[in-house]
Amino acid sequence: EPEVTQTPSHQVTQMGQEVILRCVPISNHLYFYWYRQILGQKVEFLVSFYNNEISEKSEIFDDQFSVERPDGSNFTLKIRSTKLEDSAMYFCASCPSAGELFFGEGSRLTVL
Amino acid sequence: RKEVEQDPGPFNVPEGATVAFNCTYSNSASQSFFWYRQDCRKEPKLLMSVYSSGNEDGRFTAQLNRASQYISLLIRDSKLSDSATYLCVVSRYSSASKIIFGSGTRLSIRP
């Protein structure tokens, strides 16, 4: 069964460093998303991507964040200068059309 | 008011019991509704979509009430393996651009 894959599964970084989280969505899906979940808290929407551009983003997704789909298969989330409060599990998801999300297993980011 | 609200629980029920969760949403333009299940430290996984006419999948029944803007999930004959957090998910518009998660309801099934 096709699945969304994410790398790395866990990354530890120093505050102020840049981080890139990578995702390979399911190949025939059209919408791509990043969500994050701080430990013990709710799943929060960050950004959605459709037709090679951002279609919607939340207030969390500030100038420190960016997304790219550089080669038609990978979908990356970059955090330019990490803060302590960026520590969270970051989930990539894709969906073929309206609403049914398929999630990757997540990338745990720890900022020290 | 939060866009999607759920009772956080925890619900602690014996095996075999029937348990029901509700979820309310604030935006009347919401179009698509889902229940996801999330196990501890794992990714959310789709449990079922929620249709206007209500739908059933084995022991699980989902209902949508557009007039009152809530959806519900009923679990019959609960199993130990049903212990998880259940996430109410709402898509605000007919497009898939923004999909909002509730905070989740924790369910614990005891033997």
Side-chain angles (χ1 to χ4, degrees):
Chain A
E1 187 179 322
E3 58 182 20
V4 176
T5 57
Q6 289 186 240
T7 54
S9 56
H10 189 191
Q11 179 152 358
V12 181
T13 190
Q14 295 289 327
M15 194 169 59
Q17 295 297 304
E18 176 183 283
V19 160
I20 297 176
L21 305 178
R22 292 183 168 80
C23 169
V24 179
I26 295 172
S27 61
N28 62 344
H29 285 188
L30 302 177
Y31 290 87
F32 313 112
Y33 309 81
W34 284 99
Y35 284 82
R36 81 171 185 191
Q37 188 173 32
I38 295 169
L39 188 64
Q41 297 188 26
K42 63 181 284 187
V43 177
E44 298 175 293
F45 171 77
L46 292 178
V47 66
S48 58
F49 196 85
Y50 172 72
N51 203 24
N52 287 319
E53 60 183 22
I54 290 174
S55 51
E56 191 143 3
K57 58 184 180 179
S58 72
E59 55 279 1
I60 302 168
F61 195 88
D62 61 21
D63 292 344
Q64 293 299 312
F65 290 87
S66 62
V67 288
E68 269 192 333
R69 195 150 188 256
D71 57 12
S73 61
N74 289 287
F75 179 50
T76 62
L77 175 70
K78 183 194 287 188
I79 309 174
R80 250 179 284 281
S81 177
T82 50
K83 304 188 282 286
L84 294 176
E85 54 265 37
D86 293 328
S87 294
M89 182 73 94
Y90 288 81
F91 290 109
C92 174
S94 68
C95 80
S97 58
E100 185 179 325
L101 292 170
F102 292 78
F103 281 86
E105 293 187 336
S107 294
R108 181 170 298 284
L109 176 64
T110 302
V111 182
L112 303 176
Chain B
R1 185 182 169 188
K2 290 181 188 174
E3 198 157 348
V4 180
E5 287 204 68
Q6 291 183 251
D7 182 341
F11 285 68
N12 190 320
V13 302
E15 199 173 2
T18 295
V19 61
F21 313 133
N22 281 339
C23 164
T24 59
Y25 59 95
S26 61
N27 194 316
S28 59
S30 299
Q31 294 286 336
S32 304
F33 309 92
F34 308 87
W35 284 103
Y36 279 73
R37 170 196 168 125
Q38 187 175 25
D39 293 284
C40 189
R41 295 180 177 262
K42 299 281 193 180
E43 75 276 20
K45 291 186 178 175
L46 180 68
L47 180 63
M48 59 197 303
S49 304
V50 187
Y51 304 118
S52 297
S53 54
N55 48 299
E56 191 173 305
D57 181 3
R59 298 181 293 108
F60 298 85
T61 301
Q63 298 276 355
L64 167 64
N65 185 318
R66 285 191 186 271
S68 302
Q69 293 183 203
Y70 78 82
I71 68 173
S72 63
L73 177 68
L74 181 79
I75 306 175
R76 287 182 299 278
D77 187 24
S78 52
K79 312 288 184 197
L80 295 176
S81 57
D82 294 333
S83 296
T85 297
Y86 290 82
L87 306 170
C88 171
V89 180
V90 173
S91 179
R92 187 192 283 181
Y93 305 114
S94 56
S95 78
S97 62
K98 191 170 183 180
I99 300 169
I100 302 297
F101 282 70
S103 301
T105 298
R106 286 192 293 130
L107 173 65
S108 179
I109 307 297
R110 63 179 188 269

